[in-house]
Amino acid sequence: MATSMSCLLVLCLVCPLLAGVVRANPWYGLFPQFYDHSCPKAKEIVQSIVAQAVAQETRMAASLVRLHFHDCFVKGCDASVLLDNSSSIVSEKGSNPNLNSLRGFEVVDQIKVALETACPGTVSCADILALAARDSTVLVGGPYWDVPLGRRDSLGASIQGSNNDIPAPNNTLPTIITKFNRLGLNVVDVVALSGGHTIGLSRCTSFRQRLYNQSGNGLADSTLDVSYAAQLRQGCPRSGGDNNLFPLDVVSSTKFDNFYFKNILAGRGLLSSDEVLLTKSAETAALVKAYANDVHLFFQHFAQSMVNMGNIMPLTGSQGEIRKDCRRLNNDH
């Protein structure tokens, strides 16, 4: 009797906690084995096409990681970012963070065609983005993680959300942290996911103010290494050259490693949003130093933060739809 009473007591304590977990986790239905029966080759198909794309152009790995990021930060991880303009959709592709910048759509199209051939109407575009981001990371030397699956695709897009909710290169650190917090992500997620800048390229327009007029006084950003700034000015003039590309990690831009953090410590972080992780908060600075010292810790945190980000407000069950073509709603065909 005493045992059953104590069990009941434990249950009474645990049940509200469990209820809280379910409420706090709207993605409660996502799990890595979601397609094991309905489309057993799904992961293999995604991996194989991503591998071909990255073999052709290493930069595509960074582009596919960023595509998932820009999807999840707007209305959750629901493939809203992939929708083209139509009579009912104003595409997120036209937003300030995405226009002339977001890429990888053709790779997603290719994956979708292969999946529709293998298992029609089964694998969502949102899950394609989550898997492609993981596969891209691994292909360029980064960590592996099991991707929870079972997301469904949105029935709309939000260009306003895309303009307002995606962290920008010139945002202050408190603004960046707020944008993460709103989606249930914390400071560790901010610094770990910023480490995705260990691969890929950025446009001159994203960091020009650091070279010429960081705080409105006509001077370069004092936290920027002087010789690095001089090097950047050669390809990023005061005006023109907006789309000239520069590596986000000046040491090893095609390898997923921790040089991004080492660079920041040396004043060689490219974006203002990279440098402020060191200069504007003791908490973020401690993480920058920890990741610069320990690549395994960075990999572990990055993998966990990618899962956390992938869990933002997914559509599950009967919500949304499984798009046949990632660029348009099923009823727009």
Side-chain angles (χ1 to χ4, degrees):
M1 180 66 188
T3 309
S4 60
M5 278 303 290
S6 62
C7 285
L8 276 172
L9 189 60
V10 168
L11 279 172
C12 290
L13 290 170
V14 168
C15 286
L17 289 174
L18 284 176
V21 166
V22 176
R23 270 203 305 276
N25 294 307
W27 56 87
Y28 204 64
L30 302 188
F31 54 99
Q33 302 79 16
F34 189 84
Y35 297 111
D36 283 8
H37 296 295
S38 60
C39 192
K41 291 218 159 112
K43 294 175 196 170
E44 202 182 300
I45 289 168
V46 175
Q47 199 280 337
S48 140
I49 294 172
V50 171
Q52 287 169 29
V54 172
Q56 281 179 313
E57 184 199 20
T58 315
R59 182 188 175 202
M60 188 52 71
S63 301
L64 290 170
V65 171
R66 186 165 180 251
L67 204 45
H68 183 40
F69 179 73
H70 282 216
D71 180 36
C72 292
F73 266 70
V74 184
K75 294 164 64 308
C77 309
D78 61 0
S80 61
V81 73
L82 301 176
L83 289 169
D84 285 340
N85 284 318
S86 73
S87 56
S88 60
I89 300 292
V90 179
S91 174
E92 293 171 19
K93 295 175 184 180
S95 72
N96 294 327
N98 295 342
L99 187 64
N100 299 325
S101 172
L102 211 59
R103 55 203 298 280
F105 300 111
E106 294 77 12
V107 178
V108 175
D109 291 340
Q110 212 182 328
I111 294 168
K112 186 59 176 167
V113 167
L115 286 169
E116 285 300 306
T117 304
C119 334
T122 305
V123 181
S124 69
C125 301
D127 279 345
I128 290 172
L129 290 178
L131 285 167
R134 188 274 312 275
D135 293 336
S136 293
T137 302
V138 173
L139 283 160
V140 289
Y144 176 93
W145 63 94
D146 284 316
V147 180
L149 299 166
R151 300 167 192 79
R152 288 169 66 84
D153 298 325
S154 74
L155 298 172
S158 173
I159 192 167
Q160 296 85 355
S162 190
N163 278 320
N164 299 328
D165 299 341
I166 295 170
N170 57 352
N171 279 160
T172 64
L173 185 58
T175 297
I176 292 167
I177 291 171
T178 298
K179 287 180 175 183
F180 274 74
N181 286 166
R182 273 193 214 135
L183 299 171
L185 301 176
N186 63 25
V187 169
V188 173
D189 298 315
V190 170
V191 183
L193 291 173
S194 295
H197 287 172
T198 176
I199 52 172
L201 305 172
S202 181
R203 298 183 300 157
C204 164
T205 183
S206 298
F207 60 86
R208 175 184 279 125
Q209 87 287 348
R210 295 192 75 202
L211 304 179
Y212 301 104
N213 194 18
Q214 176 63 1
S215 39
N217 57 5
L219 299 174
D221 186 337
S222 60
T223 62
L224 196 58
D225 174 77
V226 176
S227 64
Y228 181 47
Q231 188 187 324
L232 293 172
R233 277 190 209 99
Q234 290 176 359
C236 185
R238 275 179 194 274
S239 61
D242 283 9
N243 292 323
N244 293 355
L245 294 170
F246 295 79
L248 283 155
D249 169 352
V250 70
V251 175
S252 58
S253 69
T254 59
K255 188 169 190 313
F256 200 101
D257 54 27
N258 64 340
F259 267 103
Y260 166 81
F261 297 105
K262 294 179 180 183
N263 294 338
I264 290 176
L265 293 178
R268 293 162 78 84
L270 184 63
L271 307 178
S272 173
S273 55
D274 299 326
E275 199 60 44
V276 293
L277 298 175
L278 179 66
T279 57
K280 299 296 185 187
S281 149
E283 192 180 359
T284 58
L287 286 162
V288 169
K289 289 168 187 164
Y291 297 157
N293 286 330
D294 186 347
V295 70
H296 300 295
L297 180 69
F298 165 49
F299 277 21
Q300 190 186 329
H301 284 191
F302 182 82
Q304 184 56 56
S305 291
M306 285 296 283
V307 172
N308 297 345
M309 184 182 80
N311 285 342
I312 297 169
M313 298 181 292
L315 301 172
T316 56
S318 59
Q319 300 171 306
E321 66 181 14
I322 305 295
R323 285 185 217 140
K324 296 183 182 74
D325 174 342
C326 293
R327 293 173 180 264
R328 49 190 63 85
L329 305 180
N330 290 342
N331 64 8
D332 277 357
H333 281 261

